[in-house]
Amino acid sequence: MNWFVNGGIQDTKVALLGDGGKMWVKWWEKISGYSLKIHHNYYQYIGSKRVTKTWWRKLLVTWVIFWIMVSLWIFWYMSSQATEKRKEALASMCDERARVLQDQFNVSMNHIQAMSILISIFHHGKNPSAIDQRTFARYTERTAFERPLTSGVAYAVRVLHSEREQFEKQQGWTIKRMDTLEQNQVHEDEYASEASERSPIQEEYAPVIFAQDTIAHVVSLDMLSGKEDRENVLRARESGKGVLTAPFRLIKTKRLGVILTFAVYKRDLPSNATPNERIQATDGYLGGVFDIESLVEKLIQQLASKQTILVNVFDTTNYSHPISMYGSNVFIDGMEHVSHLNFGDPFRKHEMRCRFNHKPPWPWLAMTTSIGILVIALLIGHIFHATVNRIAKVEDDCHKMMELKKQAEAADVAKSQFLATVSHEIRTPMNGVLGMLHMLMDTDLDVTQQEYVRTAQASGKALVSLINQVLDQAKIESGKLELEEVLFDLRAVLDEVLSLFSGKSQEKGVELAVYISDQVPETLIGDPGRFRQIITNLMGNSIKFTHKGHIFVTVHLVEEVIDSIEVETESSSKNTLSGLPVGDRQHSWKGFRAFSQDSSIPSVTSSTCNSVNIIVSVEDTGDGIPLEAQPRIFTPFMQVGPSISRCGGTGIGLSISKCLVGLMKGEIGFVSIPKTGSTFTFTAIFTNGCSNSNEYKGQQVKNQSNSMSSEFQGMRAVVVDNRSVRAKVSRYHIQRLGINVEMVTDFNKGLSSIVRANAVPHMVFIEQEVWDKNLSASNHFSDSLQKIDHGVPPKLFLLGNSISSSRANPTSSGIYCPSVIMKPLRASMLAASLQRAMGVGNKGNLRNGELPSLPLRNLLLGRKILIVDDNDVNRKVAAGALRKYGADVVTAESGARAISLLMPPHHFDACFMDIQMPEMDGFEATRTIRDMEQNVNNRIQHGELSIEVCNNVSSWHVPILAMTADVIHATNEECLKCGMDGYVSKPFEAEQLYREVSRFF
């Protein structure tokens, strides 16, 4: 439409109409612009409202009628413009023909006048005369080209009556009479000159004595014998100018013609002579005969080969009865143009009237333009009509959509409420189940009973994990999944994940390892729980489908990978963690925006830079993903095949991971080769925790290696491993304890390195595969270490990854047996193993993941803690967990009871409060408690209440922590809004309760 209005049709019209159409084009631009404004204003002011059909129909009919009238006016205007152009063209052609005819006539007239002077000189001025008929005829014939319009020239001499007889004798013929036909002022001679009568007796005569051969038949005729001829001759000699006769039929030819007459005077006539003097000085009369019809026709043919117009020449001396001199009175076209002719005779008036030789053409341009305008207007009307109908339909659809939206919102609220209810109802009994199982493990159980309890705990935790995944998927679909911003230690998080899968990997004999680049900061700011969830999902899949080989997790900076694409693991089978081939991990990040040339990667090499863009790869040598299943790998609830479901899982882990990676402003991809393995890679952007330490100084960071690294700081160790990637992983974990590490590939190099060194290393780590490969060499190496004479022999450790290979082979002497450290290596586990073997630090045996109880008892010892929950099982679980750490626990079954116990003054140090309770929920109870505390604080500040009465506490605020089975984010926000200081999600463990409550002591 824009092209039509602004471009195409406008250029076409300008080209067709030319200058005459510019005004129309301007008018069209105004109309079009106005129409567009109406269109815009309609959408702006009317389009949003319902327009009644009756009103719109009236407007549409008015629009159509208006544009029909406009189209008719355009047709009339353009037709009139075309008619004006035809008139201009006709006037131009007619004026051109009149001008040429007049110019040619003037040329002939001037030549005839010159001949009159010639006769005066050579005929009357000579005696005897130098001109006779023969000379005159030859001269006029040769100079005929100088008189293009004359058909003949003749000279009549003036003869007085007294001279007639002598003149006739001299000439040899008598003066004859010229008959005059009075009808229509046309002269006609139908007789031969021999039969002409003698001219009647009169005072003077004007017989023709010389004539051009073409009109030689007029010789002897008396030009004064006719009435009109006499008048013209007398006017010519009185005026001294050329005089034209009225049109008449020429003798013999019967064609219309006129005679131009000039008087021939004596040579001594002055230029300012009076009429009488001219009459007296007249010697004769020279006349030129003009055959109007043939001459005009010849002239017109010279101007144009095709006769586009019809020409008529009239003598309009008597305007009421004009005499037609040339042309036909039959006209095809009614358009006429008149051009005036001036032949030098002021008495005679002549006109040239022109008409077109064909009918006027049909005004196709006007017709097509007006019809086109009407069609465009109708189309615009149709567009408006369709738009109104569309708007009405859209409004109806919008109302329907609003209703559907309300229904969807109501359904979403119901869904959220359902999830919250189901979560609460499932988590509450699961909290009792897991809590009681945990308490049961602290009792005296035999091995079989402990195995049963562990199995029950694992099943319960699997059920809780499944519930969490379903809730996460629901949050993703509703867009309510949000990330936290807390300070955490990335290396500690990965150590925890390794601990989670260590038992399974050891059972399968699969090597599990983590390597984090030194360039990755120690602490980051982000959501450690969601990051742990991504790693757990990816490693869980790898553990599930990997039966041999390795699972290797690497963490680098994105810019580090860009600078050196060859990172810790390469595609060659000799340079992998287990020696088995893997897919090229570079294909797993193919297409990432972070690796495109246009992407700007934030620099994290400096500690002052806030943004940290890391890339994490999880590589395994498992079954791989079938090619046909790879496109749908991130689809929720989709599994690669029927056999996969038998391995467990819901099929939403990868979908949730992809969403979490997106929330971390990263990308995720994978490469998988069936029967070879898979590599999943994702990026995530965090904030550098080192540069924001002041902001997050109140947050605790779990870093297990820091508390133990001081015990091994400065020690030296040697790692014997023939596989470089695996050796780098071992060095990474050992160096985290502050130990200097040297890597060698075999026993000989290791022994040489130890002997050459100035100081004996404190420990030697040998890969189990290297030890078992050549037992004789292993025994020789062990014996050689014992025989070192300068210093204490180093401690020998074997790094194994399978329970079946955990027994170390004794040396040949049977005296020395190396210690075995089971993989996967973690800082805490490695430190505990070295402490036990080398006799440094704490030698206590701790359960996996259990915190030392003595510091906790000292921290909570004497602390009075209130637990409020309507569920008796939950109260027992929470009370048992806290009492284990020395806390004095009081329980309450309702919110009202909690209010009475926490009314200041009281002796409670903290409170764990359930959210959903009958009669009064935890929110209302907390708000009431905060109001009571605020009231007491205000009274103390105003002196209305003494501090002694309030146990010497000037500001009351007991820490209240929510115990909620509802993990919906809105519930967590509501906890903080009502005055709670934190929350613990059910099912909870003892460490969770401690971790939350310890923040306030």
Side-chain angles (χ1 to χ4, degrees), residues 17 57 89 319 384 483 712 746 806 818 837 879 885:
L17 299 179
R57 286 174 182 172
Y319 197 80
F384 271 93
L483 300 181
F712 305 100
D746 54 39
S806 61
Y885 300 129

Side-chain angles (χ1 to χ4, degrees), residues 623-923:
D623 298 334
I625 304 172
L627 297 178
E628 64 275 8
Q630 292 183 10
R632 63 178 190 272
I633 196 66
F634 292 109
T635 305
F637 303 104
M638 294 295 291
Q639 295 180 330
V640 297
S643 61
I644 303 303
S645 60
R646 293 196 295 269
C647 298
T650 60
I652 59 176
L654 290 177
S655 173
I656 294 173
S657 298
K658 184 176 182 179
C659 176
L660 294 176
V661 168
L663 292 176
M664 295 178 183
K665 301 178 182 179
E667 300 169 280
I668 187 170
F670 71 96
V671 59
S672 183
I673 303 175
K675 308 300 181 183
T676 300
S678 304
T679 300
F680 281 80
T681 301
F682 70 92
T683 60
I685 298 179
F686 296 102
T687 304
N688 193 337
C690 300
S691 59
N692 293 271
S693 57
N694 293 332
E695 240 180 280
Y696 295 86
K697 63 183 179 180
Q699 299 183 9
Q700 295 180 353
V701 181
K702 186 177 180 181
N703 191 341
Q704 298 172 350
S705 61
N706 291 340
S707 61
M708 304 174 184
S709 61
S710 58
E711 301 172 358
F712 305 100
Q713 194 72 33
M715 291 187 178
R716 296 179 59 253
V718 175
V719 175
V720 182
D721 196 341
N722 59 349
R723 194 166 290 127
S724 60
V725 174
R726 188 168 55 191
K728 289 180 181 179
V729 173
S730 300
R731 181 182 63 179
Y732 157 72
H733 288 285
I734 298 171
Q735 284 181 340
R736 291 177 62 189
L737 302 179
I739 302 173
N740 299 321
V741 181
E742 180 182 0
M743 296 188 305
V744 294
T745 57
D746 54 39
F747 290 125
N748 294 330
K749 293 182 180 179
L751 193 58
S752 300
S753 175
I754 294 172
V755 172
R756 288 196 309 266
N758 296 329
V760 178
H762 298 83
M763 57 200 79
V764 176
F765 296 90
I766 305 174
E767 181 61 37
Q768 182 78 49
E769 179 185 350
V770 178
W771 181 270
D772 295 339
K773 187 175 183 180
N774 190 343
L775 291 178
S776 61
S778 301
N779 293 331
H780 174 70
F781 179 76
S782 177
D783 293 340
S784 300
L785 291 181
Q786 299 302 320
K787 296 177 182 179
I788 295 177
D789 53 358
H790 54 284
V792 180
K795 286 288 184 179
L796 190 61
F797 298 94
L798 296 185
L799 303 177
N801 60 350
S802 175
I803 297 176
S804 60
S805 62
S806 61
R807 300 187 187 88
N809 294 310
T811 60
S812 57
S813 61
I815 299 175
Y816 182 72
C817 181
S819 301
V820 178
I821 299 177
M822 293 302 300
K823 295 182 181 179
L825 298 179
R826 289 98 68 201
S828 59
M829 180 274 297
L830 186 59
S833 299
L834 295 180
Q835 286 172 350
R836 287 195 299 268
M838 302 183 69
V840 296
N842 185 6
K843 302 178 184 180
N845 296 325
L846 302 177
R847 295 182 181 181
N848 188 24
E850 185 178 305
L851 295 174
S853 60
L854 183 58
L856 289 178
R857 287 197 177 95
N858 292 335
L859 181 63
L860 299 181
L861 188 61
R863 300 290 184 177
K864 192 172 184 178
I865 300 176
L866 176 65
I867 296 178
V868 184
D869 200 316
D870 62 318
N871 189 290
D872 184 58
V873 176
N874 289 339
R875 292 198 301 270
K876 290 180 180 180
V877 171
L882 294 175
R883 283 173 181 153
K884 184 172 64 172
Y885 300 129
D888 182 11
V889 180
V890 178
T891 62
E893 69 282 357
S894 66
R897 176 60 177 162
I899 293 174
S900 62
L901 291 175
L902 293 178
M903 181 180 294
H906 58 75
H907 300 283
F908 290 98
D909 298 296
C911 172
F912 286 94
M913 183 173 294
D914 186 27
I915 297 296
Q916 295 185 5
M917 293 183 294
E919 297 181 2
M920 180 182 292
D921 59 20
F923 296 143

Side-chain angles (χ1 to χ4, degrees), residues 181-187 228 246-248 317-318 323 348:
L181 299 178
E182 300 297 338
Q183 294 82 1
N184 296 326
Q185 299 184 6
V186 176
H187 295 268
E228 186 170 347
F248 64 92
T317 303
N318 185 359
I323 302 174
R348 288 288 173 183

Side-chain angles (χ1 to χ4, degrees), residues 150-207:
T150 60
S151 57
V153 181
Y155 176 67
V157 67
R158 181 182 182 186
V159 178
L160 298 176
H161 180 69
S162 59
E163 300 173 349
R164 177 177 177 175
E165 184 176 355
Q166 182 182 356
F167 175 79
E168 290 179 343
K169 290 180 180 181
Q170 184 180 357
Q171 297 294 331
W173 39 261
T174 60
I175 300 174
K176 298 180 178 61
R177 179 180 180 179
M178 177 181 290
D179 293 333
T180 304
L181 299 178
E182 300 297 338
Q183 294 82 1
N184 296 326
Q185 299 184 6
V186 176
H187 295 268
E188 184 178 0
D189 189 6
E190 298 180 354
Y191 55 89
S193 60
E194 303 85 24
S196 299
E197 299 179 3
R198 287 175 55 87
S199 177
I201 298 174
Q202 51 193 9
E203 293 183 1
E204 61 179 288
Y205 306 92

